[in-house]
Amino acid sequence: MTGTGPLTARRLAVPPKPRRPRALIVGWAIAAVVVAAHVVAWDTTEISAAALVEGWRGMADFLAEAIPPDFSADVLRDSASAALVTLWIGLLGTTLSIPATLVFALLAARNTAPTAWAYQAARALLSFLRAVPDVVFALIFVTAVGLGPFPGVLALVCHNVGVMGKLWAESLEDADPGPSQALRSAGAGRIQVAAHALLPTVTPQLVGLLLYRFDVNVRSSLVLGLVGAGGIGFLINQSIQLFQFDQMLTHILVVLVLIVAVDQLSAYVRRHLGSTP
């Protein structure tokens, strides 16, 4: 019986990590483009730290005139009433957009669109409504129906259909295809599949997105008031024009209370939906 002796393990050299000069060049090129874009943006927007430092006296005078806020009964009553108008504008701008949003979301989702041209047309319309700011819609409707909350509601409805339609369409496309395929195999039509399989599956996501848009629309309705669409934004603009900065600060504090209340309500509803089996 012959032995071969103890076995020894031979170390193999670790091959060097392959270099990717092309990827490295592309990375440096992207970094250079980003830096150049920031340099151009900095110069175009005329950002100046010196101007901000030199303007401290004007900001100090502004704050001195705004503090303390005017908490008189008349100002608080007008501010609270206008804040409720702002809330109603955001509420109606959200809820009145639901029917059109649902229709365009079904047309703009690949798994529910009846034809390719309907899908492309719905996507194009949603992109247009989303691209036009709600302030621009408000200015258009103010010239059409006059000043007040009504043009603000119309502006939010138009813009919200574009934003929420895209979000709902993406939720429909990401839905579990199992229930829909089961109904199709049983002979169900497109509308039946959407009504009995697809929409029930994504309803929590759709409601969550709706609540998110409600939060955004309440804030947007404040800005719309600055262009004549009513609400507390109109009072803030009026206070600034009349140099009543103490009343302006009161209106801003009331807005803060309103936004916190809406956030808490939305969070409560989302938690309730999340705990519902």
Side-chain angles (χ1 to χ4, degrees):
M1 179 176 179
T2 60
T4 58
L7 297 176
T8 58
R10 186 177 62 177
R11 290 186 177 181
L12 298 177
V14 178
K17 186 177 181 180
R19 296 183 178 182
R20 299 180 179 178
R22 185 175 180 181
L24 186 62
I25 293 174
V26 171
W28 279 107
I30 293 176
V33 170
V34 171
V35 171
H38 279 77
V39 171
V40 174
W42 186 281
D43 181 67
T44 304
T45 55
E46 301 178 355
I47 294 180
S48 174
L52 182 61
V53 173
E54 293 174 359
W56 71 270
R57 189 178 300 277
M59 291 188 293
D61 293 340
F62 177 81
L63 292 176
E65 295 181 13
I67 300 175
D70 186 357
F71 286 137
S72 61
D74 293 338
V75 174
L76 283 177
R77 182 175 60 252
D78 294 341
S79 186
S81 176
L84 285 177
V85 173
T86 298
L87 178 63
W88 304 146
I89 293 174
L91 177 65
L92 292 178
T94 304
T95 55
L96 294 182
S97 65
I98 292 177
T101 298
L102 182 59
V103 172
F104 284 114
L106 292 172
L107 294 175
R110 294 183 184 274
N111 53 343
T112 57
T115 59
W117 69 265
Y119 169 81
Q120 295 296 339
R123 284 279 178 171
L125 181 58
L126 292 179
S127 297
F128 169 75
L129 294 176
R130 193 169 60 253
V132 179
D134 46 16
V135 175
V136 176
F137 278 124
L139 290 172
I140 295 173
F141 286 120
V142 162
T143 60
V145 300
L147 300 175
F150 184 38
V153 173
L154 296 176
L156 287 181
V157 168
C158 292
H159 186 71
N160 200 58
V161 168
V163 176
M164 202 161 64
K166 179 179 181 295
L167 296 176
W168 279 17
E170 293 176 349
S171 297
L172 292 172
E173 291 179 345
D174 295 337
D176 182 12
S180 300
Q181 292 175 355
L183 280 183
R184 287 194 186 98
S185 62
R190 186 181 300 272
I191 297 179
Q192 292 174 319
V193 170
H196 299 288
L198 198 56
L199 289 177
T201 303
V202 298
T203 294
Q205 291 87 346
L206 300 187
V207 174
L209 292 171
L210 182 66
L211 291 173
Y212 165 72
R213 287 302 305 172
F214 174 58
D215 289 347
V216 174
N217 287 335
V218 171
R219 293 172 174 84
S220 298
S221 60
L222 167 66
V223 180
L224 298 182
L226 300 177
V227 296
I232 199 168
F234 179 77
L235 291 184
I236 293 176
N237 187 33
Q238 187 180 51
S239 300
I240 294 175
Q241 292 178 349
L242 297 177
F243 301 101
Q244 298 172 339
F245 300 120
D246 53 347
Q247 295 185 14
M248 177 208 69
L249 183 56
T250 302
H251 301 324
I252 292 176
L253 293 177
V254 172
V255 168
L256 177 61
V257 174
L258 173 64
I259 296 301
V260 171
V262 171
D263 286 341
Q264 293 297 321
L265 176 62
S266 299
Y268 172 79
V269 176
R270 284 194 294 267
R271 286 195 304 267
H272 180 73
L273 289 175
S275 61
T276 301

